[in-house]
Amino acid sequence: MQHTTTGNRRTWLARSAGLLVAGALPLATPAAAPTPLEVWKDPNCGCCQDWLDHMQAHGFAVKVHDTGNNAVRARLGLPPQLGSCHTALVGGYVVEGHVPASDVRALLQQKPKALGLAVPGMPVGSPGMDGAAYGNRRDPYDVLLVLRDGSTRVFNSYNPKAST
């Protein structure tokens, strides 16, 4: 009886090894599915498209509405003074403007009680505002955590001149 069990184990191992070699069983777990990101922007805005490319390159699956973002920004409760050229929704959070993908990932991981993140205006050097047209220029900017009452605090700071 023991011989049969050993034989069955050997047979199972041999067959499993063959399946691995043949590619029928994965050696590693598949990559995580892209994170859904819904965006409202102006259809003619090039920097918005550059930001979308940045987000897609960092694992976000983007759904775009080329209808402008003023109405959705107001509907979502983001204060106008925090506005930028595009507004996004991801994981129940608002993302306004040229927020780096790494900060969006940190937001989704930390899950703070907040409305979302914002980079007001369009600072040169932020994702989407960092193309060849701007040369080596990098302006300092803050990514703001927008609390539900509309107040803000700094979530992350980018000050390239201070780091040199």
Side-chain angles (χ1 to χ4, degrees):
M1 190 74 167
Q2 282 183 327
H3 185 279
T4 306
T5 304
T6 303
N8 288 342
R9 244 186 249 144
R10 284 186 186 145
T11 302
W12 180 84
L13 286 171
R15 287 183 182 156
S16 296
L19 289 172
L20 282 171
V21 170
L25 295 177
L27 291 173
T29 57
T35 304
L37 179 78
E38 192 168 7
V39 180
W40 289 263
K41 69 175 197 64
D42 183 291
N44 302 310
C45 185
C47 69
C48 290
Q49 185 58 53
D50 291 347
W51 183 76
L52 294 173
D53 293 344
H54 165 79
M55 297 304 285
Q56 287 174 322
H58 288 87
F60 289 87
V62 177
K63 178 181 179 182
V64 179
H65 303 278
D66 282 326
T67 57
N69 67 330
N70 290 331
V72 75
R73 185 186 317 125
R75 182 174 54 86
L76 295 172
L78 191 76
Q81 68 270 22
L82 300 177
S84 186
C85 55
H86 53 266
T87 303
L89 275 177
V90 61
Y93 291 102
V94 177
V95 175
E96 180 72 16
H98 295 268
V99 177
S102 58
D103 289 329
V104 175
R105 289 275 179 223
L107 175 78
L108 294 173
Q109 184 177 29
Q110 295 171 15
K111 297 182 183 352
K113 291 184 180 178
L115 187 61
L117 296 176
V119 172
M122 299 165 61
V124 174
S126 61
M129 294 295 295
D130 54 355
Y134 304 103
N136 291 328
R137 182 174 158 197
R138 300 254 185 260
D139 294 345
Y141 68 96
D142 291 330
V143 175
L144 303 175
L145 180 68
V146 182
L147 303 177
R148 295 182 197 271
D149 66 1
S151 64
T152 63
R153 63 180 165 106
V154 174
F155 187 79
N156 202 354
S157 287
Y158 294 86
N159 190 351
K161 294 174 185 169
S163 64
T164 56

